[in-house]
Amino acid sequence: MLSRVPSRPDGLLVRFWGVRGSINASGRSFQEFGGHTACVEIRCGDRLFIIDAGSGLGALGGALGDDAPDEIDILLSHLHLDHVIGLPFFRPLHLRRSVRIHAGNLGGESPREALDRLFSPPLFPLRLDQIDPAVSFHGFRAGETLHLPDGARVETCVLDHPSGSTGYRFAHGGRSVCYISDVEHGEGWPAPELVRFARGADLVIYDAMFTQEQYPACKGWGHSTWEAGVALCRAAGVGALAIFHLHPAHDDAHLRGVEAAAQAAMPTAFVAREGACLVFAPVA
């Protein structure tokens, strides 16, 4: 399923720029899976979406360089620091591109006020609109379908996480990908609404921050396990599972063990690696 990325892919492309949760991981033991926090590039043909703006967003902006599209949509799962810290360092903001920032966990309110508090003195020297006056902020209610200015359509769902979180589903060329992070599994898992949301997807990117042994002490923190991700994928008839939002203390050796265990339960499961890219060709 992994492949070299064509310059203008016809299918649905997924590339991981940040796969960690909470805080960056660094050092020799964290090279294989990477250390940046959450950021995923989605391409529906030529159309660029970015899910979450963690520290990996800086590397994505650098890779786009001067060839960045004129219009870019950043879809935030929520506004916790590890999911927005990369925003001021996103190169297209400095190129005066039209960047739209969306959030669905604020009851329909725009994320502007919250981001202005974070990215302004004394916490940060500039506001985002001082970096790029073309940046715009858009609120919606998780569960609504987004209808974007160019006619693009993105489905969303409500996720169980402190202060709320939003899941996203992208469809293109008869293929589909779901992003379900940050989320906590609960009683009666998998939840029927999430099964419906993920039904038949080619890939689910799922929050599996904790091991089953860690989870009881962290219950209520809004995260999950790879076992819960496998259960959701089985119930929803999902093609593959990307284990995501990796614990910052879980090093390469630990994550290789997680991957082996997950693949014993679901052969198409894998641990997301920073820089890895998947292309789902259109259905003929």
Side-chain angles (χ1 to χ4, degrees):
M1 191 156 45
L2 293 175
S3 64
R4 178 174 295 182
V5 184
S7 58
R8 300 177 70 86
D10 293 327
L12 199 163
L13 177 149
V14 179
R15 182 160 21 202
F16 297 99
W17 293 93
V19 299
R20 295 283 172 177
S22 298
I23 196 170
N24 293 59
S26 64
R28 293 181 179 178
S29 299
F30 298 88
Q31 297 298 305
E32 180 177 346
F33 295 89
H36 280 304
T37 62
C39 182
V40 179
E41 173 186 359
I42 302 285
R43 298 263 185 174
C44 295
D46 290 336
R47 184 62 161 85
L48 170 63
F49 299 95
I50 298 169
I51 319 176
D52 278 330
S55 62
L57 185 65
L60 170 52
L64 291 172
D66 293 343
D67 295 327
D70 290 334
E71 296 190 3
I72 299 171
D73 288 279
I74 298 176
L75 311 177
L76 301 176
S77 61
H78 61 307
L79 275 69
H80 286 169
L81 190 60
D82 51 329
H83 292 255
V84 299
I85 195 65
L87 279 171
F89 308 101
F90 184 47
R91 180 168 170 74
L93 286 175
H94 301 269
L95 299 175
R96 298 298 192 265
R97 297 297 197 265
S98 177
V99 177
R100 295 182 289 259
I101 300 173
H102 308 261
N105 69 311
L106 303 174
E109 295 297 317
S110 165
R112 178 170 190 155
E113 181 180 353
L115 293 173
D116 273 350
R117 290 201 305 271
L118 177 61
F119 298 113
S120 63
L123 300 177
F124 195 80
L126 295 172
R127 296 191 312 272
L128 292 177
D129 61 1
Q130 289 177 289
I131 298 171
D132 180 5
V135 67
S136 60
F137 305 86
H138 306 271
F140 65 94
R141 295 181 183 273
E144 297 176 349
T145 297
L146 297 183
H147 297 276
L148 299 169
D150 62 350
R153 180 176 177 273
V154 180
E155 295 180 55
T156 78
C157 71
V158 177
L159 302 179
D160 184 9
H161 190 73
S163 300
S165 186
T166 304
Y168 294 97
R169 179 171 178 136
F170 301 85
H172 180 74
R175 313 303 292 267
S176 57
V177 170
C178 292
Y179 180 93
I180 300 177
S181 182
D182 294 15
V183 64
E184 181 153 1
H185 62 277
E187 298 299 324
W189 186 262
E193 60 272 18
L194 276 185
V195 173
R196 288 192 296 271
F197 186 71
R199 176 75 65 192
D202 293 282
L203 174 71
V204 165
I205 302 166
Y206 186 81
D207 174 349
M209 186 167 184
F210 297 126
T211 65
Q212 285 193 315
E213 294 74 24
Q214 290 171 321
Y215 177 72
C218 305
K219 197 170 184 179
W221 292 14
H223 298 290
S224 192
T225 65
W226 68 260
E227 290 91 345
V230 167
L232 172 62
C233 289
R234 284 176 171 167
V238 169
L241 167 67
I243 296 167
F244 185 74
H245 204 276
L246 308 177
H247 195 293
H250 290 170
D251 63 12
D252 293 342
H254 175 90
L255 292 172
R256 284 193 291 269
V258 166
E259 188 166 65
Q263 288 177 348
M266 180 179 176
T268 55
F270 62 95
V271 177
R273 289 163 170 81
E274 191 175 303
C277 183
L278 298 88
V279 178
F280 298 93
V283 175

